[in-house]
Amino acid sequence: MNKIILITGATDGIGKETALELARMGNQIIIHGRNEQKARNTVAELKKRTNNPQISYLIADLFSLQSVMKLADLFKASFDHLDVLINNAGAVLDDNRSQTENGIEATMQLNVISPLLLSELLMPRLRSSNDGRIINMSSGTAIIAKPRMNDLNMDRINSGQTRYGISKLFVIWNTQHMAKRLKDEGINNVSVNVSHPGSVATNFGQDSNNGFINNLIYKVALKSHLMAAPSSGAATNVYLATSNDVKGFSGKFFNNKCKMIKAPTRYYNIENEEKLWNYCFNKIKPFLNR
Ligand SMILES: NC(=O)c1ccc[n+]([C@@H]2O[C@H](COP(=O)([O-])OP(=O)(O)OC[C@H]3O[C@@H](n4cnc5c(N)ncnc54)[C@H](OP(=O)(O)O)[C@@H]3O)[C@@H](O)[C@H]2O)c1
């Protein structure tokens, strides 16, 4: 297998394990990170562990849409096509709300809007693949999230955990919407699906302050041996990136056992999906076609 695969947030956790497994299978891997030294170390480690020399890195801060644009430009300058984009980078942030340089609530930007921009900017390269695939990472928290459709910039949500859950629900809705748009445009060689990795022992949530209970969950439970290993969290990504079984499926939601399951429907309706898409698209519009 020699697919060209770009994985965001692959310097740690599930992204790094996904990169390891896909590199072992002989694919060409581009690791994205935001810390150059960490990215360099990850590339060296993965090359050593897999004997695969085709591993490189690109740097971008996904809190900046300008930086996402540079990431796409750098990729496009080196590769004529892209087989798989895994929008893996993501985080739960502090209860204290913060905004990025683009004036967007930081969780929304990192988990929802930057992945959308990257996908759109790299779409021409995905379309140049015989079988282009986008994989977006959601979370079990999406299932219990209660979106506030009149507060998409999350101005009035004072919990980092609540913002995180909503953002991961929005990842599902945007994925469904993008799949429909691709179909409507007659683009049959690019699919987009959602992966939900389960609860995995990584550095996720270690730097955030989310109040006593959530801090306990992230800093104690998530680091315990009760949680799945990162390799288990990577399994659905690897499956969606490589399996022939999923060819032709788009806009679908897959759990940590590589099973297609029903996406949460509680707050779903087409108006909400379109409202979210338009909100996100307006944010990324100035960064398209430059
Ligand atoms: N762990 C779980 O139980 C779990 C459950 C459900 C869903 N998920 C989802 O799975 C994905 C991976 O999570 P993980 O557990 O592997 O987390 P992790 O160990 O914290 O790794 C996150 C990765 O994203 C990168 N990243 C974070 N913020 C970034 C930014 N602003 N710009 C660029 N890169 C950034 C990190 O870079 P640095 O190394 O520089 O920090 C790291 O490489 C996330 O989308 C998460 O929401 C995780």
Side-chain angles (χ1 to χ4, degrees):
M1 199 171 279
N2 192 9
K3 287 177 184 259
I4 297 178
I5 302 179
L6 170 61
I7 308 167
T8 67
T11 52
D12 221 324
I14 298 166
K16 184 174 168 184
E17 282 294 322
T18 304
L20 175 69
E21 200 46 49
L22 290 168
R24 271 195 186 123
M25 295 164 98
N27 296 295
Q28 185 167 350
I29 308 296
I30 302 95
I31 283 174
H32 152 266
R34 59 178 160 172
N35 174 325
E36 179 126 30
Q37 191 54 52
K38 202 169 168 180
R40 217 180 276 144
N41 292 345
T42 305
V43 168
E45 181 192 330
L46 296 190
K47 279 184 175 172
K48 201 169 163 193
R49 290 174 72 184
T50 62
N51 275 329
N52 180 342
Q54 297 189 102
I55 307 173
S56 56
Y57 71 84
L58 291 172
I59 299 297
D61 179 359
L62 302 187
F63 285 135
S64 157
L65 296 180
Q66 286 81 353
S67 189
V68 174
M69 221 169 60
K70 282 186 200 142
L71 169 64
D73 286 346
L74 285 171
F75 179 88
K76 287 195 254 182
S78 302
F79 300 94
D80 67 354
H81 73 280
L82 173 61
D83 296 302
V84 185
L85 167 63
I86 306 182
N87 284 312
N88 163 79
V92 61
L93 303 175
D94 287 352
D95 282 345
N96 281 337
R97 185 183 176 287
S98 58
Q99 215 156 270
T100 67
E101 64 186 34
N102 303 109
I104 302 168
E105 190 284 318
T107 321
M108 270 300 277
Q109 178 150 342
L110 175 61
N111 296 348
V112 184
I113 293 174
S114 285
L116 177 65
L117 176 61
L118 188 61
S119 304
E120 290 291 329
L121 290 172
L122 293 180
M123 193 58 79
R125 290 293 186 272
L126 286 154
R127 289 183 66 177
S128 296
S129 165
N130 293 330
D131 180 13
R133 301 182 184 195
I134 302 172
I135 300 162
N136 293 324
M137 295 287 278
S138 185
S139 158
T141 55
I143 294 159
I144 51 167
K146 185 177 176 188
R148 322 256 171 101
M149 295 311 294
N150 290 321
D151 187 16
L152 291 177
N153 203 35
M154 302 189 180
D155 289 323
R156 296 181 296 282
I157 303 177
N158 299 317
S159 151
Q161 180 60 35
T162 302
R163 288 194 293 269
Y164 175 74
I166 295 172
S167 75
K168 291 296 181 179
L169 177 64
F170 287 168
V171 167
I172 301 173
W173 292 0
N174 271 353
T175 301
Q176 292 170 336
H177 199 83
M178 185 182 276
K180 282 180 211 155
R181 282 171 64 104
L182 289 170
K183 192 171 172 218
D184 289 349
E185 288 167 29
I187 300 169
N188 299 316
N189 64 323
V190 181
S191 65
V192 54
N193 288 299
V194 188
S195 165
H196 155 31
S199 295
V200 184
T202 64
N203 282 329
F204 184 83
Q206 300 307 300
D207 298 332
S208 62
N209 186 2
N210 301 102
F212 182 72
I213 302 286
N214 285 320
N215 284 350
L216 205 65
I217 293 170
Y218 286 124
K219 295 180 204 328
V220 181
L222 204 66
K223 292 305 274 183
S224 79
H225 294 295
L226 296 173
M227 295 296 157
S231 55
S232 145
T236 301
N237 286 343
V238 172
Y239 173 74
L240 289 175
T242 58
S243 175
N244 279 331
D245 296 352
V246 291
K247 244 182 159 176
F249 287 105
S250 197
K252 305 296 181 196
F253 185 45
F254 289 80
N255 71 8
N256 57 334
K257 304 274 185 275
C258 308
K259 285 249 170 331
M260 198 193 302
I261 57 168
K262 204 168 176 228
T265 51
R266 192 153 174 223
Y267 297 100
Y268 177 81
N269 59 52
I270 189 68
E271 290 78 24
N272 282 351
E273 183 189 287
E274 276 172 6
K275 185 171 182 180
L276 171 72
W277 178 269
N278 290 337
Y279 169 83
C280 295
F281 216 82
N282 275 331
K283 298 291 180 193
I284 67 168
K285 213 187 267 167
F287 300 91
L288 299 171
N289 305 321
R290 280 203 182 177

